[in-house]
Amino acid sequence: MEAINVYAARLVSKKEYFTPGHRACQGCAEALAVRMVAKALGNNVVVACATGCMEIISSPLPFTNWKVPWIHVAFENSSSVISGAEAGVKALIRKGKRIDKGTVFLGMGGDGATCDIGLQFLSGAFERGHNFVYVCYDNEAYMNTGVQRSSSTPFGASTTTSPSGKVKPGQVTWKKNMPEIAAAHNIPYVATACPSYPFDLLRKVEKAARTKGPAYVHILSVCPTGWRIPPAKAIWIGRLAVETGVFPLYEVENGKYRINIEVPEIKPVEEYLKPQGRFRHLTPELIEQIQTRVTKDYQKLKAKTTV
Amino acid sequence: MGKRIGIENSLAAAEAIMMANVDVVAAYPITPQTHIVEHLSELVADGELDAEFIPVESEHAAMSVCCGSSAVGARTFTCTSSQGLALMNEIVFIAPSLRLPIVMILANRSMSGPLSIWNDHTDVMSIRDCGWIQVFTENGQEIFDHVMFAFRVAEDPKISLPLIVNVDGFTLTHVIEPIEYWDQETVTKYLPDFKPVNVLDPDHPVTMGAFGMPSIFTEAKKSQDQALINSKPGIVQAWEEMGKLTGRHYRPVETNCAEDAETVFLTMGSFGETVSIAVDELRKQGKPVGQIKIRLWRPFPFEEFRQAVQGVKKIIIVDRAISYGGPGGPVAGEIRSLLYGEDNMPVITNFLCGLAGRDVTPEDYIAMYEKSEAMKGIVREEDYIFYGVRE
Ligand SMILES: Cc1ncc(C[n+]2csc(CCOP(=O)(O)OP(=O)(O)O)c2C)c(N)n1
Ligand code: SF4
Ligand SMILES: [Mg+2]
C-alpha cells in the first residue's frame, strides 16, 4: 500500500480539464477536489455546475477554466440540468441524431446546493435513475455568500448565521448525513472522498463514472477561508478529519458498505477541532459531546460494513 | 393537408408535438395543463412518440431539465400553468439568457390566492419581462398550428430563443373542436431538424451560463434584448410560410372591422372570438366599432400595432390580470405608454374582467362599449374599471 502511494502519482494523468488560473482562495481544497474529479473523468464528459464558489471562480465571462463542455443554470438544479442533458443525448442517440460516445454526465454542487436547496432535485434525479454522477463538494457552509451555515455544517462550528455567542455554541444541529440519504435511494454507488487522499478520490470518481445509473460522491473539501485555518494546512486538516473518524472514507456499492481508509488508531476529535478558528470557542464539555457523537457514528458505520 | 377531426384541443396539441418529433418532454402536472402531458406520456408509452418523457418532481426541475436537454441539442417541450409557472420562474428567466430554444405551452390560469384553477392571464403577465417569445392563441386550430410554428421559430439559428404559446385554460384546453391536422409531409417541409447554435458536446467544448461581472453584464443583456427584437422578421416569415402551406394567415396584430372603426376592442387569447360577436352586433346597430387582437406579445409589434390603430379614436382594452395599485391592467399600461405623445392619441378605457374563468359574454362587451362611450376624454379614476364586480 505504501509503495502505491509513492509511485501512483506517476500513473495519474498530467492532463488538466479544470485549468490553472481560476480565482479560488489560496489553499482551497474544494478547487483541488474539482481538479481531481475533472482529471478522473477526462474529456468525454458534460458538466452541470451549481451556483457557488466553484462556479464563480471558474467562469467569469468571457473567461473559463473548463476544457470540457460545462453549463451553469442556477443554484439548486444541477442534478436536473444534468438529467436533461443525459436524457437528451439518450433520445438523440436512439433516434440516430448523435453518435454514442459513451459520454459521462456530471452534476456538481456545494453542500448548500446539494443537502439544502437542491435536495429535492437530486432525490428526483436519483429516483428517476438517470445515468449520471453527482459530486457534492462539502465545505460545510455557504462559502460563496460569506460562510453562512448549511445543514451540512457540523455541530459547534461558528458561521455567520450560526455564530458562537454568549448563549449559543455556534451551530446547534448535527451535520446532515447526505451520503446515507443518497444510499437510502438504493442507487448503485455512493462514496465519500477527500482530496487529502487523492488516489482514493480518483479511483472512486472513476468507479462512479463506470457505474450504470446514478452514482454519488460526497467530497469533504476543506475551505481555509471559512474554517479559519492557514491555507497551507488544508491537506493536513483533511487528513485529520479522516484520522479522527469525523469524516470516514467509505463506499456503498449496491448496498454493500466498505470502509476504504482504515485508520489503525482513531485520534481524538480535539486534534481536528483545535487548529480550526471556527471551533476555537468550544469548551471541553462541548468537545466531549462531539467526541461521543463521532465515536457512535463511526461504530454505526463499522457495523454496516460487510466487506 | 391532413385530416380534419373533432378532438379535445389538449390532445391535438400533444399530437402536434408528436408530429413535430420532439426529443424530450419534461413536465409536472397542474390543472388545466394536465391533458396535454397525460396524452404525451400515453403516446410515449404506446411507442407512437420516440421521446424521453421525464416525470420530474416539480416545475422548477421541469424547466431545469429542459435547459439541460436543449443544451445538448434535443428538441424540448414543457407545459405548465399558474403556480407551476411561478415555481419555475427562476429558470424561466435564465433559459433565454442561455439562448435555449425550449417550447412551452402555458395553459393560462389565475394565480393563488384565493386558490383558483380557472382561466385568466395573471400567470403570463407575471413573466412579462422574462425574455421569451410570447404568442397567444384563440382556438384549437391555432394551438395546433402554433406548436409547429413554435419549434420552427425558437430553433431558427438566427433566433435561438425559448417560446411560450399561451392557451387559455379550460376555455381552450378542455373543449372539443374540429381541427385540421397537418400531414407529415407538410410538417417536414415547414419544420427543419433542430441544428443548435451552441451545444454541449465533448468534441467541441463550450462554457454556458458563465458569471457576469458589472463590466460585462449590461452588454450581455443588451445583446439578449437585441436578439429578441431581431427575432421578429423570422416570426413573421414563419407565419407567412404557414399561410402558404395551410391557407391560414397569422399576423403579429390581427384586426376585424378596424379599418373604418372609431372605437376598437383590444384583447389577447380566446376572448377575441366573443368580442367579434359583439362587434358584429354593434355594427348592425350602425356603430363604428372594430377589434384588435395582439397575437405576438413579445417582441411587441410596435409598427403593426400603430398601423392597426391609425385613425382610431378610442381603444377599449380588456385586461385579464391586475397590476395591484398600478396604472391599469398590464396590457393597458403598456399600450398607453407606447401611444403617449403620438398625434391624435386615442382615448383608452380599461376594463378588468374575466378573472379566474368568469364568463364575459357579447352583451358584456356591448355594455363596456356603452360605458366607454359615456366617458368623455381621459378620466383618470375611470381609466381602470373592474367590470361586472359585485360591490
Ligand atoms: C435560489 C438562490 N438562493 C440563494 C442564492 C445565493 N447563493 C449563491 S451561492 C450560495 C451558497 C453556496 O453554498 P454551497 O452550495 O455550499 O457552495 P460553496 O460556495 O460553499 O462552494 C447561495 C446561498 C442563489 N444564488 N440562488
Ligand atoms: S471561500 Fe473556501 S471554498 Fe470558496 S474559493 Fe475560498 S477557500 Fe475555496
Ligand atoms: Mg459549501
Side-chain angles (χ1 to χ4, degrees), chain A residues 24-25 28 30 53-54 57 139 143 223-225:
Chain A
C25 312
C28 175
E30 186 167 46
C53 275
M54 292 307 105
I57 59 109
N139 54 17
M143 295 309 174
C223 163
T225 309

Side-chain angles (χ1 to χ4, degrees), chain A residues 29-223:
Chain A
E30 186 167 46
L32 181 61
V34 172
R35 178 181 161 207
M36 289 178 184
V37 169
K39 215 184 246 295
L41 295 177
N43 65 351
N44 192 6
V45 65
V46 170
V47 184
C49 177
T51 312
C53 275
M54 292 307 105
E55 167 255 339
I56 294 291
I57 59 109
S58 69
S59 75
L61 198 64
F63 305 108
T64 181
N65 294 99
W66 292 93
K67 280 195 173 169
V68 289
W70 183 92
I71 184 170
H72 158 254
V73 179
F75 183 21
E76 59 291 303
N77 64 353
S78 71
S79 54
S80 307
V81 175
I82 207 66
S83 301
E86 183 259 3
V89 167
K90 197 162 139 192
L92 292 174
I93 290 170
R94 196 173 58 231
K95 292 163 102 168
K97 297 184 197 169
R98 187 158 164 160
I99 49 166
D100 189 354
K101 301 172 192 162
T103 302
V104 174
F105 295 90
L106 172 73
M108 61 180 249
D111 49 300
T114 308
C115 314
D116 291 340
I117 201 165
L119 183 57
Q120 167 188 321
F121 298 74
L122 183 58
S123 175
F126 283 162
E127 178 271 327
R128 292 190 301 269
H130 295 276
N131 187 19
F132 77 118
V133 179
Y134 188 92
V135 175
C136 170
Y137 301 96
D138 182 6
N139 54 17
E140 305 194 317
Y142 303 154
M143 295 309 174
N144 184 48
T145 38
V147 201
Q148 294 88 13
R149 62 86 73 181
S150 76
S151 61
S152 197
T153 301
F155 178 87
S158 183
T159 72
T160 53
T161 53
S162 66
S164 61
K166 294 206 179 78
V167 296
K168 289 208 174 179
Q171 176 93 333
V172 293
T173 50
W174 296 94
K175 184 179 173 76
K176 188 184 272 184
N177 194 335
M178 192 55 215
E180 276 296 323
I181 292 169
H185 286 76
N186 289 323
I187 57 174
Y189 188 70
V190 173
T192 64
C194 175
S196 302
Y197 296 82
F199 308 117
D200 178 69
L201 187 152
L202 292 165
R203 187 186 60 80
K204 284 173 173 168
V205 175
E206 282 163 10
K207 202 174 202 179
R210 281 196 308 271
T211 302
K212 290 269 165 282
Y216 177 78
V217 184
H218 190 104
I219 304 184
L220 184 74
S221 308
V222 178
C223 163

